[in-house]
Amino acid sequence: MFDLHQNHFRLFGLPERFALDLNELSERYLRLRQTVHPDLYATAGDREKRLSLQASTRVNEAYQTLKDPLARARYLLTLLTGDQGNDQETTKDMAFLLEQMELREALAAARDASDPFAGLAAVRDRLSRQSLYLITQLAVFLEPVSGLDPEAARELIRKLQFVRKCEAEAEALEAELDEAL
């Protein structure tokens, strides 16, 4: 077994940085999961079974955190600064907030449009571009060697949370529209 107390990056033998090769992460996850899967310990003693279950849970949690850019950013920022931040804070960027309001209004308008899927696609396209931009910026501001700027990274995380919430609303609307067909 491995040390359950090492951080997520070390667990997979990866550098502690935002920019990750997700294919490499996935490969390492599959290899590690194969070594700790509880089925391998079905005939082992209670202690080994319990440790296997804990290790498997830990590997799955670490993988879920690292494969998601928002969760990875939060985790890495906490790891690098020791500060978990305040989830209640919101962005003060009024232009960004107004754009988010416009996107939500566009989603509401898409629902009643003659071609709701076209309106929905336009909103999802804008959200996708925003998300990609924010993730790219996070890679810059979470670079531990040369670019670490915790406050800029926190602001980007807050904005990405807004985008994710709106993306979830768009997905829900799409499911609703699909169901109505």
Side-chain angles (χ1 to χ4, degrees):
M1 269 314 150
F2 55 89
D3 179 7
L4 291 174
H5 297 90
Q6 54 188 331
N7 73 47
H8 295 349
F9 293 96
R10 289 184 185 158
L11 184 66
F12 293 108
L14 295 169
E16 295 168 357
R17 55 187 312 200
F18 183 76
L20 288 180
D21 179 339
L22 295 180
N23 289 328
E24 184 177 1
L25 171 64
S26 182
E27 289 171 13
R28 290 177 185 223
Y29 165 69
L30 292 174
R31 273 187 298 207
L32 197 54
R33 191 178 74 171
Q34 288 174 347
T35 65
V36 297
H37 197 281
D39 288 349
L40 296 173
Y41 299 88
T43 59
D46 288 344
R47 183 177 186 279
E48 287 81 16
K49 286 180 185 177
R50 184 175 40 82
L51 288 174
S52 166
L53 186 58
Q54 287 175 339
S56 182
T57 300
R58 175 86 169 87
V59 167
N60 288 331
E61 286 174 0
Y63 177 68
Q64 294 302 319
T65 298
L66 295 185
K67 81 174 188 176
D68 175 50
L70 180 57
R72 183 172 63 241
R74 285 185 187 136
Y75 180 77
L76 182 59
L77 187 59
T78 299
L79 195 65
L80 294 174
T81 65
D83 181 9
Q84 294 193 0
N86 181 355
D87 285 345
Q88 302 304 315
E89 287 184 22
T90 188
T91 181
K92 293 175 180 56
D93 183 340
M94 291 308 293
F96 177 82
L97 291 172
L98 285 173
E99 189 173 4
Q100 293 304 302
M101 285 177 49
E102 288 173 12
L103 287 167
R104 287 198 165 81
E105 289 171 3
L107 273 180
R111 181 184 312 271
D112 300 323
S114 60
D115 184 2
F117 288 102
L120 180 62
V123 170
R124 292 187 89 170
D125 182 56
R126 284 178 61 189
L127 289 168
S128 177
R129 282 186 273 123
Q130 282 185 342
S131 181
L132 182 61
Y133 172 77
L134 292 169
I135 290 168
T136 302
Q137 291 299 300
L138 278 167
V140 172
F141 291 111
L142 282 173
E143 181 59 41
V145 176
S146 60
L148 181 61
D149 184 340
E151 191 47 46
R154 281 187 188 93
E155 177 67 2
L156 292 167
I157 289 169
R158 289 188 285 262
K159 288 179 178 179
L160 190 53
Q161 287 172 321
F162 269 100
V163 171
R164 286 285 177 86
K165 188 172 180 184
C166 198
E167 286 175 329
E169 290 173 17
E171 285 178 26
L173 177 59
E174 185 174 31
E176 184 183 316
L177 292 172
D178 283 342
E179 210 170 279
L181 290 179

